[in-house]
Amino acid sequence: MFRQVADIQTQAMLKLPVPDLRGGKPAVISAPCSPELKAIVQSLVERAEALRTGQVDPRQDNMLLVTTDGRKAALDLRLHDPSLPDHLDSKVNKAVAEIERIWRETIAECSAQLVFCDQSIPTGRKGFSVYEDMRDKLIALGIPAQQIQFIQDHDSDAAKLQLFRDVRAGKVRILLGSTQKMGTGANVQERLIALHHLDAPWRPADVEQREGRILRQGNTNPEVRIYRYVTEGSFDAYMWQTLETKAKFIGQVMTGETNLRRIEDIDGTALTYAEVKAIASGNPMVIEKARIDAEVARLSRLHCEHQETMFKLRGRVRHLTDELPCMEKRSEDVHRDIVTRQDTSGDKFVMVLEGQELRDRGIAGELLLRRAERMRGTRADRLVGTIAGFQVFVTDDFMQGPEIVLKSATTYTAKVTDSAHGTIRSVEHTIQHLEDVAETLARNIADTRKRLEDSQAQVDAPFEYAERLASLVQRQQQIEDELDLTKNQASSRLEADTAEGPPADAKEVEEPVEA
């Protein structure tokens, strides 16, 4: 239904002149999981299990808060607890090193970089902020403070416009911001050389908006770089995999692939208990699950497409089988009309209109025009005469207007033009060129027979990837069963706590959104 009313033109379809992406895809920079992060993730599992078994009021804690805390810890431990240490090999420090290296490489060109971070905002030194931590470290590495700016420090439209002008001019070379503040309307692409994702947003549209700042017309750099920073053993890897799967679904809708019939909810903002448990365990099956989910979805779409193709083929076989005898019958009738057709060329022209024999083409045409005008809007055929052995009918087609129908063994249509001579020429041309009709029918019959033969050969062909799809679905079920290891224990505990249960008016507490 969406494709029936939408005209979609993607960047790939339009082939817009945007810079090339180094390596053809974003580069992934991973940071190791620290012991402190492992302990935090394990505590999140305990919170999730308590929620699942109904031991905690969801108004006090819920899966949205668990997920948010996990994402913050994956970004920087100090967002979870300011007293925790700053690890040298954390992803924030790796990002600082990468930003500083690119800054030095592009000093001559005054190239700019964007840094996206949604899980932390500037606090004005009132608490730990990834923004302020990165700025201090970059200044310590020799980058002038005035070349580093936060989008949050420029609230008014005028201030933002001046900031964007400074970025385009090369005065501001490192701009940090959130997707909400900097994802749209930031026309700073002219000198952009690199973009950094410190964290993963929830929606593929957010990723597209972020990267649309640099992969944009007007960027003077022929090649740009995009970096995604991931902390191993945290929520990062799973979230990026999930984003990729969501983006593929959306891409199929936008490009009009008709084999897609269902899409998963793409706006959820909390991981499930099983996903948190799998991430905490460090089980590689969590990544395998994301890969298999995507492959099962792809093969399922191919299977749906195969079934739809088989349905269409069976319908085509039925249609061609019914159509062929009708075409052969009409071909026989046309040949019969060719044999019985009378010659009306030159002075041999004779036409009988309502009992009156006419040998003047102009008069015959004028009378046909008058009969046609009287038939306008009647929606009925009227026999008005004969010519060359054919009965002449005048009818009114709702869409085309008045027409002349010639009937013998079969029927033919001639046009009613604006002039008498044009109308009579159309009638004679139709009669004199029956051989063309016969040739066209012969070609159509041969083509129909060929299409029928080809369609019959393809009907009920087996699905090429049936075995692989079945094995992947089986493996998918195995992984889901193995990842949710505490399902039975949780169910038993939930039954034991049924009498108490969670409050009836329990609701999830939404994460505060940056203004």
Side-chain angles (χ1 to χ4, degrees):
M1 292 173 63
F2 171 69
R3 291 294 303 176
Q4 288 174 358
V5 298
D7 181 19
I8 302 299
Q9 292 293 315
T10 65
Q11 179 175 296
M13 294 175 183
L14 296 175
K15 298 181 180 179
L16 299 176
V18 299
D20 294 328
L21 179 58
R22 177 176 291 187
K25 60 182 180 180
V28 177
I29 297 179
S30 61
C33 182
S34 64
E36 292 87 351
L37 179 57
K38 290 181 180 178
I40 291 172
V41 175
Q42 186 57 46
S43 70
L44 298 178
V45 174
E46 295 171 0
R47 287 169 57 186
E49 185 173 355
L51 284 166
R52 177 163 182 158
T53 54
Q55 300 177 41
V56 178
D57 186 340
R59 290 173 296 186
Q60 304 300 321
D61 195 9
N62 53 70
M63 288 304 299
L64 181 58
L65 289 176
V66 170
T67 303
T68 301
D69 288 345
R71 294 177 68 198
K72 287 182 176 179
L75 176 60
D76 195 295
L77 294 174
R78 291 168 292 175
L79 287 172
H80 183 78
D81 184 351
S83 65
L84 291 174
D86 178 17
H87 288 275
L88 294 178
D89 53 357
S90 69
K91 73 175 182 180
V92 170
N93 288 324
K94 286 181 177 288
V96 167
E98 197 67 28
I99 293 168
E100 189 270 342
R101 180 185 66 80
I102 297 173
W103 178 86
R104 294 196 180 278
E105 286 179 358
T106 59
I107 286 180
E109 297 83 7
C110 292
S111 297
Q113 303 178 64
L114 292 185
V115 182
F116 279 96
C117 177
D118 291 349
Q119 291 301 308
S120 178
I121 58 173
T123 63
R125 307 292 182 182
K126 296 180 181 178
F128 177 76
S129 167
V130 169
Y131 284 69
E132 294 160 356
D133 181 65
M134 291 184 70
R135 180 182 60 188
D136 294 344
K137 290 174 179 176
L138 290 170
I139 292 173
L141 290 172
I143 299 178
Q146 64 271 20
Q147 294 187 13
I148 308 170
Q149 294 292 329
F150 304 152
I151 189 73
Q152 290 86 351
D153 292 340
H154 302 77
D155 289 333
S156 69
D157 292 340
K160 287 181 181 178
L161 288 175
Q162 184 58 50
L163 172 65
F164 296 159
R165 280 196 289 266
D166 291 343
V167 176
R168 293 194 295 270
K171 296 179 182 178
V172 173
R173 297 188 54 200
I174 300 171
L175 179 59
L176 293 86
S178 63
T179 308
Q180 185 178 6
K181 292 279 189 178
M182 200 164 63
T184 57
N187 296 318
V188 294
Q189 66 273 8
E190 186 174 337
R191 294 178 182 269
L192 287 186
I193 189 66
L195 183 145
H196 306 265
H197 295 281
L198 284 186
D199 52 14
W202 271 111
R203 298 172 299 184
D206 295 335
V207 179
E208 186 174 353
Q209 286 297 330
R210 286 182 176 188
E211 297 181 355
R213 301 309 97 208
I214 190 169
L215 298 174
R216 193 177 182 89
Q217 296 180 82
N219 192 326
T220 57
N221 292 300
E223 184 182 72
V224 296
R225 316 161 205 177
I226 296 178
Y227 298 92
R228 296 176 179 176
Y229 297 88
V230 177
T231 301
E232 299 172 1
S234 72
F235 288 10
D236 283 347
Y238 189 81
M239 287 195 63
W240 280 113
Q241 286 280 354
T242 305
L243 276 169
E244 182 181 0
T245 303
K246 293 176 181 178
K248 287 181 179 178
F249 276 118
I250 296 170
Q252 285 145 13
V253 173
M254 301 302 283
T255 54
E257 292 189 22
T258 57
N259 50 53
L260 181 63
R261 288 291 177 266
R262 182 176 64 185
I263 186 168
E264 298 296 328
D265 174 25
I266 61 168
D267 201 26
T269 52
L271 299 179
T272 66
Y273 167 77
E275 290 165 342
V276 174
K277 179 72 176 180
I279 292 169
S281 68
N283 195 332
M285 283 194 297
V286 70
I287 302 301
E288 182 186 0
K289 179 182 182 296
R291 179 183 61 80
I292 288 181
D293 286 348
E295 184 68 3
V296 167
R298 185 182 72 86
L299 292 181
S300 296
R301 292 191 298 274
L302 289 177
H303 187 224
C304 290
E305 184 178 1
H306 171 79
Q307 290 179 315
E308 187 173 341
T309 300
M310 291 300 103
F311 177 79
K312 290 180 179 178
L313 280 173
R314 286 190 287 270
R316 184 184 302 170
V317 167
R318 288 193 300 269
H319 174 71
L320 294 177
T321 302
D322 294 339
E323 184 181 29
L324 191 56
C326 298
M327 296 173 67
E328 292 172 341
K329 175 66 167 56
R330 178 166 171 79
S331 178
E332 293 173 2
D333 292 341
V334 171
H335 282 92
R336 189 178 300 114
D337 287 340
I338 291 173
V339 173
T340 60
R341 175 186 55 189
Q342 298 170 9
D343 187 9
T344 61
S345 61
D347 295 337
K348 299 176 184 178
F349 176 82
V350 177
M351 185 174 187
V352 178
L353 281 178
E354 297 182 351
Q356 182 181 1
E357 184 177 290
L358 303 171
R359 294 184 178 274
D360 186 289
R361 289 182 170 85
I363 296 175
E366 182 62 32
L367 291 175
L368 274 179
L369 280 177
R370 294 178 182 179
R371 302 297 188 276
E373 186 62 30
R374 287 201 295 267
M375 289 295 296
R376 190 179 294 275
T378 60
R379 308 294 297 157
D381 294 347
R382 180 182 176 187
L383 177 62
V384 296
T386 60
I387 183 173
F390 293 82
Q391 292 180 312
V392 180
F393 291 81
V394 176
T395 185
D396 184 56
D397 182 86
F398 179 73
M399 299 296 294
Q400 303 295 333
E403 289 182 339
I404 296 173
V405 177
L406 305 171
K407 292 184 180 180
S408 185
T410 184
T411 61
Y412 313 89
T413 302
K415 295 181 180 179
V416 175
T417 67
D418 294 334
S419 67
H421 284 286
T423 300
I424 206 67
R425 278 198 299 267
S426 176
V427 172
E428 288 192 275
H429 181 274
T430 301
I431 296 172
Q432 293 167 3
H433 289 77
L434 296 184
E435 288 82 3
D436 294 343
V437 177
E439 289 179 8
T440 301
L441 277 170
R443 288 194 300 269
N444 291 342
I445 288 171
D447 179 64
T448 300
R449 286 174 178 163
K450 180 67 168 58
R451 287 191 292 145
L452 179 58
E453 181 181 342
D454 293 343
S455 299
Q456 287 174 330
Q458 298 176 48
V459 167
D460 297 328
F463 178 50
E464 182 180 1
Y465 305 104
E467 293 184 4
R468 175 161 174 74
L469 176 59
S471 64
L472 285 174
V473 170
Q474 183 179 4
R475 177 58 181 160
Q476 184 184 49
Q477 187 61 49
Q478 291 174 351
I479 292 176
E480 290 176 355
D481 292 342
E482 292 182 35
L483 288 181
D484 205 359
L485 299 176
T486 62
K487 182 177 181 180
N488 293 334
Q489 295 93 320
S491 299
S492 300
R493 198 173 306 170
L494 183 60
E495 291 175 2
D497 295 338
T498 300
E500 299 177 2
D505 58 347
K507 297 181 179 178
E508 284 191 345
V509 179
E510 294 190 1
E511 176 187 0
V513 178
E514 179 185 349

